[in-house]
Amino acid sequence: PSDGCLLMLYISCLLIILAAPNEAPGLHLHAFHNTDVNEKLVALCKQLHPVFLGPAVPVGVDVQVESLDAISEVDMDFTMTLYLRHYWKDDRLSFKSNTNQSMTFDGRLVKKIWVPDMFFVHSKRSFTHDTTTDNVMLRVYPDGKVLYSLRVTVTAMCNMDLSRFPLDTQTCSLEIESYAYTDDDLLLYWKEGNKSLNTDEKISLSQFLIQEFHTTTKLAFYSSTGWYNRLYINFTLRRHIFFFLLQTYFPATLMVMLSWVSFWIDRRAVPARVPLGITTVLTMSTIITGVNASMPRVSYIKAVDVYLWISFVFVFLSVIEYAAVNYLSTLQERKERKLREKLPCTCGIAHPGMMSASYSEVDVNTTGNYGMPEENGVRRQRMLVELAMETDQVTGHVGSRAYSSVWIDTHAIDKYSRVIFPGSYILFNIIYWSIYS
């Protein structure tokens, strides 16, 4: 456009402002100590770029993070409160000053001049604080430099990888970009690099340790509008593990250890071993359900899932172990019963040279404590069968007795389980914590 067209635009803006003085309470003449500044501010229109059809306007940005309020794994977002400050130069706002002091205004004047149209990319909710008034400040320097500051709370998206949860480290970013102006019109940059990002020393989170804040700058491309400068506030969070140790890992480990108690309970004590196994299985199911209730429904396995489900398998196998012991014991008792039935019939012929038999068995309730030698480190039970060899001599019967023993493995599974289960679980823990920690 020609200079005449630009002049018409400025005149139109001036007429709009003068026609609606009530809408511009921040432009009263008594608010300014310099008539030049007053004339320039009144002649300014917020729709006009500071350098119309000229080079890109450099806009420096710095941020002070006031608080990091919440991190949500379920919603995959975070909430941050920050002071967002913009720095640029607008020659139309320059004014003469003998003291070279700047002039500060509130948010009412911001509506009447051009300011960068910043927005937060991937934000879900955001607002500018307005207690007790709008938390907006505008500061103009004699040479036309402008400082525009506002206090904002924003909830933005953070794509989290929970495959190592709760032993994970997350990196989130808050992205700032101009909505309308491409990089040809507005050059957005961090005013002092990484020093442009300041954080409050009191910032802390109950579940995370804030490891690092840093800034980056990239170009974002939109196929319909072009290239835009984008600023990133990156921060790294490492999750505190102690809470999950107390609430998840320790209870799960104790349930697994409790399931091993059944290996030392007599195999005939069904009312003791069965409820113990069922209780540990149900408790593990409750722990798993409670953990997953507070987590997003992701389609991959998390580190805590690995630990809980393998612990659940150990508890479940302890129940299966008793089922195997009980089944094998039942088969053993059937064999003993058949043996007792057969011995009187096959050995009871009473005539010289033949064997008669008398059966002697250790009490069923005490066989587990019957002291026997060990073979290969495994204590066994035995059923004693007393065979009496009787010979007929001249004056009577003289009996010479021979003893035979039938060895039966009734407690072998329990005895092996006392070693295999704890050893396997300890090995699993060593591998698990070496991989994820």
Side-chain angles (χ1 to χ4, degrees):
S2 62
D3 293 339
C5 294
L6 293 177
L7 180 60
M8 290 299 296
L9 287 173
Y10 281 109
I11 293 175
S12 299
C13 291
L14 178 60
L15 292 176
I16 292 173
I17 295 175
L18 294 176
N22 294 332
E23 297 181 3
L27 294 177
H28 293 312
L29 297 180
H30 64 78
F32 308 102
H33 302 287
N34 191 297
T35 57
D36 292 337
V37 177
N38 179 46
E39 292 174 359
K40 292 180 182 296
L41 289 176
V42 172
L44 210 61
C45 182
K46 65 179 180 180
Q47 285 84 6
L48 291 179
H49 195 267
V51 185
F52 196 78
L53 293 180
V57 177
V59 177
V61 175
D62 70 37
V63 169
Q64 178 166 344
V65 179
E66 182 182 17
S67 66
L68 197 56
D69 303 317
I71 308 291
S72 174
E73 294 86 1
V74 177
D75 298 325
M76 293 284 188
D77 60 22
F78 65 92
T79 301
M80 179 184 290
T81 300
L82 53 93
Y83 296 96
L84 180 61
R85 303 185 182 98
H86 312 72
Y87 301 86
W88 75 95
K89 185 175 182 179
D90 192 341
D91 291 330
R92 297 170 295 182
L93 297 178
S94 61
F95 61 93
K96 295 179 181 179
S97 174
N98 295 328
T99 59
N100 199 31
Q101 291 184 348
S102 61
M103 302 180 66
T104 303
F105 307 94
D106 58 20
R108 293 173 293 178
L109 183 61
V110 174
K111 301 177 182 179
K112 301 304 175 181
I113 67 172
W114 180 89
V115 294
D117 56 341
M118 299 295 106
F119 80 103
F120 298 100
V121 185
H122 304 310
S123 65
K124 298 180 178 181
R125 296 173 299 275
S126 62
F127 63 92
T128 303
H129 291 260
D130 55 2
T131 305
T132 58
T133 60
D134 291 342
N135 295 176
V136 177
M137 183 268 288
L138 184 73
R139 181 171 294 168
V140 182
Y141 294 87
D143 58 355
K145 291 182 179 179
V146 182
L147 165 61
Y148 172 46
S149 176
L150 62 160
R151 182 168 174 254
V152 182
T153 293
V154 56
T155 300
M157 182 177 65
C158 178
N159 292 321
M160 301 182 185
D161 180 12
L162 300 175
S163 59
R164 299 178 66 89
F165 175 89
L167 303 167
D168 56 332
T169 299
Q170 302 295 339
T171 299
C172 300
S173 298
L174 182 62
E175 305 169 17
I176 306 172
E177 184 181 305
S178 171
Y179 188 82
Y181 298 104
T182 65
D183 61 338
D184 294 328
D185 300 319
L186 191 145
L187 178 60
L188 200 61
Y189 67 98
W190 289 110
K191 190 171 183 293
E192 297 180 3
N194 272 333
K195 294 182 180 179
S196 301
L197 179 60
N198 301 303
T199 58
D200 194 325
E201 296 180 354
K202 297 181 180 179
I203 294 179
S204 63
L205 295 170
S206 60
Q207 198 174 136
F208 290 92
L209 172 65
I210 303 176
Q211 289 187 313
E212 181 186 13
F213 272 97
H214 67 278
T215 62
T216 54
T217 304
K218 295 181 181 179
L219 283 175
F221 176 74
Y222 299 90
S223 58
S224 57
T225 55
W227 293 91
Y228 294 80
N229 294 114
R230 182 177 295 180
L231 305 181
Y232 293 81
I233 301 173
N234 305 307
F235 55 96
T236 304
L237 304 172
R238 188 180 68 186
R239 196 182 305 274
H240 293 303
I241 186 60
F242 189 70
F243 171 82
F244 297 95
L245 288 176
L246 292 179
Q247 298 296 322
T248 303
Y249 286 94
F250 284 168
T253 302
L254 290 177
M255 287 301 105
V256 175
M257 296 175 66
L258 183 61
S259 68
W260 301 338
V261 175
S262 63
F263 303 150
W264 279 266
I265 299 178
D266 192 283
R267 62 184 176 84
R268 300 170 191 82
V270 177
R273 294 189 68 163
V274 172
L276 179 61
I278 294 176
T279 301
T280 53
V281 168
L282 293 178
T283 304
M284 283 301 305
S285 300
T286 303
I287 294 174
I288 294 173
T289 303
V291 170
N292 290 329
S294 60
M295 296 298 298
R297 298 178 180 177
V298 295
S299 58
Y300 49 83
I301 298 176
K302 303 181 291 294
V304 69
D305 295 333
V306 174
Y307 194 90
L308 291 180
W309 279 104
I310 291 183
S311 298
F312 182 85
V313 169
F314 272 91
V315 172
F316 183 76
L317 288 178
S318 68
V319 178
I320 299 300
E321 184 271 348
Y322 176 62
V325 169
N326 192 53
Y327 176 73
L328 295 177
S329 298
T330 302
L331 292 181
Q332 172 194 329
E333 290 175 358
R334 290 177 182 175
K335 292 179 181 179
E336 292 176 357
R337 191 180 304 112
K338 290 180 181 179
L339 185 59
R340 286 196 299 267
E341 292 173 354
K342 289 181 180 179
L343 285 176
C345 298
T346 58
C347 302
I349 302 174
H351 58 81
M354 300 296 294
M355 290 188 302
S356 67
S358 61
Y359 174 74
S360 173
E361 182 181 6
V362 181
D363 189 353
V364 174
N365 294 324
T366 61
T367 53
N369 297 323
Y370 189 76
M372 297 300 300
E374 295 188 4
E375 294 185 6
N376 297 326
V378 179
R379 183 181 295 272
R380 304 187 178 195
Q381 288 182 312
R382 74 174 181 180
M383 178 181 66
L384 295 180
V385 180
E386 182 182 286
L387 299 178
M389 178 70 71
E390 295 184 355
T391 57
D392 193 326
Q393 295 184 359
V394 177
T395 59
H397 294 81
V398 177
S400 62
R401 298 174 178 270
Y403 292 92
S404 176
S405 298
V406 181
W407 299 82
I408 303 172
D409 292 330
T410 56
H411 289 277
I413 297 179
D414 274 344
K415 293 181 181 297
Y416 282 125
S417 297
R418 295 172 188 176
V419 177
I420 294 175
F421 273 73
S424 300
Y425 196 68
I426 291 173
L427 179 62
F428 159 69
N429 273 272
I430 293 173
I431 296 174
Y432 178 88
W433 294 107
S434 62
I435 292 176
Y436 288 104
S437 63

